[in-house]
């Protein structure tokens, strides 16, 4: 796989049982690139390691006054330099290719997992951790893959050179053959402590990233309540903790680096002292002594890759563990695609767990007193349940028997906090769609006229609203404007079933009434489910369902339920618990005094409906 061939047609199924298993899976998939790196690395390191032999031959040729040996040494030096240049160039190219392709593979499997889990991902893993895994952790994993490409060649080179020195000069070669492996493993006792410190640093950094992400996302709210300084102080403390952890980790790695410099120096002193002693005895020639001395000097270069691979593994192991934790998450009811992918069911949407039925082609409003329960039910209707249970049926077909793409095409869920990606409005609306609903129609139904005007006014280089840019997560827009743009994006897809969770909670009542009418008209003949407690939306629904304590408690239309069902009335009119308890305990008295009650909260709601209808 080359960089120009990315992305992978199929990145594969990762082994997410643990961090080391995930790294091993990645290595197996990079085997071709690793073998190329090994070949070019051997050419590079062996060419570098052969230079001392050439120098030794040249020195001995001068001592012996041999022009033939001197020419031979010059020719060998030229070949070594050519091999060094070619090997170094293509080793770097191959190692970087391995890094980028491995990182791309990890990013692809992470993106695929995020697409499979949908909004359930951030409910099971902190958003800051997801960001850390998809950015910094991917880089650390890629670094380990790149370091491994050079390490294998360096390790083989050390073995080959040690064997060659033993054959070339046994007396000095044995000293080097014993000393170099000891140098390579000398830092191993320090690695567990260095790894723990690196893990602690990454944990603190992930926490700081999560805190920063949450602070930026809620900055508008924090400013409103005057809490930004409190959160900034928290981030400052978290940042200082990261700094202290990084310093402690750097001290340990500095100690390891010092040992890697000190011990080869001691070995070099020992070799020179022993070599001079042998040369005085006439057991080694001057050329052989120069060759062995130069070899020890040169071998410190591949030896440094042992330190790099230890550091890369220490940093990549926690990154791989976090990536494996995200990749090991599964949908509660996994879509196995047992049905034919060409099937696209249609009909009533039914949830056996609650008894909720949304008739085909109708606008169904669902009232649920618990917002969290409403969010979980909306996820269930979209085929993304957070708990085990019977699957939701669409036209009698279980959603978990459909391929994931088909299930999401059939049922689209817009949660209460939709995300707007940065880019132009046209790019934001570049989503899979039926083609029957245009962007202009969707924007009009969502009452986005003032939003479009604001986008044009804030854009200096275009007068076309569709070319106006939206900042990250739509932070330049108000909450109500973001809601309406997100609603228009959902409407333009024109799914078979559209599930909206509190789509108008941040807009004023007059705009809400017009949105309710626009959605009803645009979705005529399509199944629409709206989770809301707004009387303006409920009054325009064909069917209203009250879900209480996880079960359907009442079904009807808004004006009937608000009179006949106290629990429904308590949610819709924001009735207090004492008033609701009194109504349930004294139903006969409440019936006699219905006129008085209608003159309070209920009467106010009905009057507001009538006023908005007249103004519209």
């Amino acid at each position: 796989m080359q960089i120009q061939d990315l992305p992978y047609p199929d990145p594969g199924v990762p082994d997410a049982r643990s961090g080391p298993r995930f790294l091993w899976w990645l290595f197996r998939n990079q085997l071709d690139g690793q073998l190329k790196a090994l070949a070019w690395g051997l050419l590079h390191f062996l060419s570098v390691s052969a230079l001392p032999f050439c120098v030794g031959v040249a020195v001995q040729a001068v001592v012996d006054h041999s022009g033939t040996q001197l020419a031979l040494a010059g020719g060998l030096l030229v070949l070594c330099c050519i091999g060094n240049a070619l090997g170094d160039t293509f080793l770097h190219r191959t190692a970087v290719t391995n890094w980028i392709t491995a990182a791309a593979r990890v990013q692809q499997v992470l993106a695929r997992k995020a697409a499979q889990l949908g909004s359930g991902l951030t409910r099971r893993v902190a958003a800051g951790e997801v960001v850390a895994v998809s950015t910094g952790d991917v880089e650390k994993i890629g670094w380990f893959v790149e370091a491994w490409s050079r390490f294998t060649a360096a390790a083989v080179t050390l073995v080959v050179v040690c064997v060659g020195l033993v054959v070339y000069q046994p007396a000095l070669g044995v000293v080097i053959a014993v000393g170099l492996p000891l140098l390579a493993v000398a830092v191993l006792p320090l690695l567990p402590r260095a790894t723990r410190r690196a893990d602690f640093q990454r944990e603190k950094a992930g926490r700081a990233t999560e805190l920063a992400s949450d602070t930026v996302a809620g900055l508008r709210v924090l400013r409103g309540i005057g809490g930004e300084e409190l959160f900034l102080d928290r981030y400052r403390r978290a940042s200082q903790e990261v700094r202290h952890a990084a310093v402690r980790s750097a001290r340990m790695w500095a100690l390891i680096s010092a040992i890697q410099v000190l011990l080869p120096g001691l070995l070099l002193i020992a070799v020179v002292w022993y070599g001079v002693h042998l040369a005085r005895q006439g057991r080694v020639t001057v050329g052989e002594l120069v060759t062995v001395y130069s070899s020890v000097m040169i071998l410190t270069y591949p030896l440094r890759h042992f330190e790099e691979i230890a550091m890369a593994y220490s940093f990549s192991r926690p990154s791989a563990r976090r990536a494996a934790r995200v990749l090991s998450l599964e949908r509660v009811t996994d879509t196995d695609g047992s049905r034919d992918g060409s099937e696209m069911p249609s009909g009533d949407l039914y949830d056996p767990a609650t008894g909720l039925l949304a008739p085909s082609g109708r606008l169904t409003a669902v009232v649920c007193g618990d917002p969290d329960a409403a969010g979980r039910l909306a996820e269930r209707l979209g085929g993304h349940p957070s708990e085990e249970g019977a699957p939701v049926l669409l036209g009698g077909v279980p959603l978990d028997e459909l391929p994931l793409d088909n299930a999401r095409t059939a049922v689209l869920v817009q949660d209460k906090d939709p995300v707007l990606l940065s880019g132009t409005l046209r790019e934001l609306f570049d989503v899979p769609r039926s083609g029957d609903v245009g962007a202009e129609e969707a924007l009009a139904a969502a009452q986005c006229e003032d939003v479009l005007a604001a986008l044009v006014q804030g854009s200096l280089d275009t007068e076309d609203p569709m070319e106006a840019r939206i900042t990250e997560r739509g932070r330049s827009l108000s909450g109500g404007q973001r809601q309406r743009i997100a609603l228009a994006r959902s409407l333009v897809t024109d799914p078979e079933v559209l599930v909206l969770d509190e789509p108008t909670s941040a807009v004023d009542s007059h705009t809400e009434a017009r949105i309710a009418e626009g959605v009803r008209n645009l979705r005529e003949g399509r199944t629409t489910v709206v989770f809301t407690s707004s009387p303006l939306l409920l009054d325009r629904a064909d069917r209203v369902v009250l879900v209480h304590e996880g079960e359907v408690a009442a079904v009807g239309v808004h004006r009937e339920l608000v009179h006949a069902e106290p629990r429904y009335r308590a949610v819709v009119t924001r009735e207090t618990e004492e008033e609701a308890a009194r109504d349930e305990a004294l139903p006969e008295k409440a019936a006699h005094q219905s006129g008085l009650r209608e003159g309070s909260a209920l009467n106010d709601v009905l009057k507001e409906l009538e006023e908005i209808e007249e103004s519209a």
Side-chain angles (χ1 to χ4, degrees):
M1 172 63 71
Q2 299 298 317
I3 296 176
Q4 63 264 25
D5 298 326
L6 295 175
Y8 288 95
D10 180 12
V13 180
D15 187 347
R17 289 176 290 178
S18 66
R21 288 178 182 271
F22 178 68
L23 290 175
W24 175 242
W25 170 82
L26 196 61
F27 173 79
R28 293 200 314 269
N29 283 274
Q30 298 287 124
L31 186 58
D32 180 63
Q34 295 294 345
L35 291 176
K36 290 181 180 178
L38 176 61
W40 290 115
L42 286 175
L43 176 62
H44 169 56
F45 287 119
L46 290 176
S47 298
V48 172
S49 301
L51 290 174
F53 175 75
C54 299
V55 173
V57 172
V59 171
Q60 191 62 41
V62 173
V63 172
D64 296 339
H65 302 286
S66 173
T68 303
Q69 289 185 355
L70 188 60
L72 176 62
L76 292 176
L77 280 172
V78 171
L79 290 178
C80 289
C81 290
I82 293 175
N84 181 22
L86 289 175
D88 191 19
T89 300
F90 285 97
L91 171 61
H92 177 74
R93 178 186 178 91
T94 307
V96 172
T97 299
N98 289 341
W99 182 358
I100 294 176
T101 53
R105 187 186 298 274
V106 176
Q107 286 181 326
Q108 278 190 248
V109 295
L110 285 171
R112 183 176 63 187
K113 179 59 66 173
Q116 290 175 349
L117 296 176
S119 61
L121 175 61
T122 53
R123 290 183 175 88
R124 300 167 69 178
V125 180
E129 183 170 353
V130 176
V131 173
V133 170
S134 59
T135 54
D137 287 337
V138 169
E139 181 181 354
K140 294 296 186 297
I141 294 171
W143 176 33
F144 174 72
V145 172
E146 183 202 20
W148 185 266
S149 301
R150 294 189 296 269
F151 166 74
T152 51
V156 173
T157 299
L158 285 176
V159 174
V160 172
V161 172
C162 287
V163 172
L165 288 176
V166 171
V167 174
Y168 177 71
Q169 176 45 251
L172 291 174
V174 170
V175 175
I176 297 173
V178 173
L180 283 178
L182 294 178
L183 295 182
V185 301
V187 296
L188 289 182
L190 298 177
L191 288 180
R193 180 177 296 181
T195 301
R196 288 194 298 270
R197 292 190 179 185
D199 290 351
F200 184 72
Q201 177 196 352
R202 296 294 299 168
E203 180 183 348
K204 290 295 183 181
R207 171 58 183 159
T209 302
E210 179 183 346
L211 185 60
S213 176
D214 293 342
T215 302
V216 172
L219 190 58
R220 187 189 298 268
V221 177
L222 292 175
R223 285 176 176 172
I225 63 176
E228 53 185 320
E229 284 300 326
L230 173 63
F231 274 78
L232 286 175
D233 288 340
R234 290 181 181 176
Y235 179 73
R236 290 189 186 100
R237 289 195 297 270
S239 179
Q240 289 301 313
E241 290 176 358
V242 174
R243 184 179 67 84
H244 290 307
V247 170
R248 292 184 71 248
S249 179
R251 286 173 179 168
M252 183 56 65
W253 288 112
L255 176 61
I256 292 175
S257 297
I259 292 175
Q260 291 282 35
V261 173
L262 175 64
L263 294 184
L266 295 177
L267 177 63
L268 186 62
I269 293 173
V271 168
V272 171
W273 178 83
Y274 186 54
V276 171
H277 178 69
L278 293 178
R280 286 179 175 178
Q281 295 179 351
R283 297 171 59 184
V284 297
T285 65
V286 175
E288 290 175 338
L289 178 59
V290 171
T291 298
V292 175
Y293 169 80
S294 302
S295 296
V296 176
M297 290 286 295
I298 291 294
L299 286 179
T300 58
Y301 169 55
L303 194 63
R304 287 201 299 268
H305 291 80
F306 284 76
E307 176 191 352
E308 182 188 14
I309 194 64
M311 183 181 294
Y313 179 72
S314 298
F315 278 90
S316 66
R317 190 172 63 87
S319 297
R321 185 172 63 246
R322 277 191 293 270
R325 183 165 62 247
V326 174
L327 293 172
S328 64
L329 299 176
E330 298 291 344
R331 290 164 52 86
V332 177
T333 55
D334 194 17
T335 302
D336 59 6
S338 58
R339 287 181 173 268
D340 184 5
S342 61
E343 293 187 24
M344 188 63 68
S346 61
D348 298 343
L349 185 68
Y350 177 67
D351 177 28
T354 60
L356 173 62
L357 174 66
S360 176
R362 307 288 295 278
L363 174 59
T364 302
V366 181
V367 176
C368 187
D370 183 0
D372 294 333
R376 291 192 295 269
L377 181 53
E379 289 181 353
R380 281 186 53 79
L381 295 180
H384 313 292
S386 57
E387 301 173 352
E388 293 283 357
V392 172
L393 306 178
L394 177 60
V397 177
L399 286 181
D400 61 0
E401 291 186 6
L402 295 175
L404 187 59
D405 291 342
N406 285 21
R408 289 185 170 173
T409 301
V411 183
L412 174 66
V413 179
Q414 176 182 303
D415 61 22
K416 64 185 66 178
D417 187 22
V419 175
L420 301 182
L421 303 179
S422 60
T424 65
L425 193 59
R426 192 180 307 280
E427 292 171 342
L428 185 68
F429 278 51
D430 186 17
V431 293
R433 63 180 74 182
S434 67
D436 296 335
V437 177
E440 295 78 8
E441 299 175 83
L443 290 166
Q447 301 299 310
C448 294
E449 293 85 357
D450 63 319
V451 185
L452 299 180
L455 288 174
V456 171
Q457 186 177 4
S459 179
L460 301 177
D461 55 353
T462 182
E463 295 182 357
D464 183 2
M466 300 302 294
E467 297 300 328
R469 296 196 65 81
I470 296 176
T471 58
E472 181 187 1
R473 298 181 68 90
R475 292 194 175 100
S476 59
L477 304 175
S478 67
Q481 290 174 331
R482 285 197 300 270
Q483 272 193 339
R484 284 179 280 165
I485 290 292
L487 175 59
R489 181 182 58 184
S490 298
L491 291 174
V492 81
T493 61
D494 190 34
E496 180 69 25
V497 178
L498 177 60
V499 180
L500 304 172
D501 187 5
E502 295 290 353
T504 59
S505 60
V507 301
D508 61 85
S509 57
H510 290 275
T511 305
E512 189 176 29
R514 293 194 295 270
I515 291 175
E517 195 63 33
V519 171
R520 179 184 176 89
N521 294 335
L522 190 64
R523 293 287 299 174
E524 185 71 30
R526 292 287 202 180
T527 306
T528 307
V529 181
V530 181
F531 286 82
T532 183
S533 59
S534 168
L536 300 172
L537 289 174
L538 295 170
D539 191 54
R540 284 162 174 76
D542 300 317
R543 174 186 173 92
V544 178
V545 179
L546 172 65
V547 177
H548 182 69
E549 295 183 353
E551 294 183 353
V552 172
V555 179
V557 295
H558 170 64
R559 294 178 185 259
E560 293 177 355
L561 291 175
V562 80
H563 286 287
E565 178 55 57
R567 291 171 295 185
Y568 178 84
R569 182 169 58 251
V571 176
V572 173
T573 64
R574 276 66 170 179
E575 198 174 45
T576 64
E577 295 182 2
E578 294 180 357
E579 292 173 337
R582 185 173 65 250
D583 289 343
E584 292 180 4
L586 303 172
E588 294 181 359
K589 182 179 179 179
H592 288 301
Q593 296 179 350
S594 60
L596 296 177
R597 283 200 310 272
E598 290 176 2
S600 57
L602 174 58
N603 196 34
D604 291 340
V605 171
L606 296 178
K607 282 183 178 180
E608 186 179 359
L609 287 172
E610 293 173 358
E611 290 175 1
I612 292 175
E613 288 175 353
E614 292 176 1
S615 63

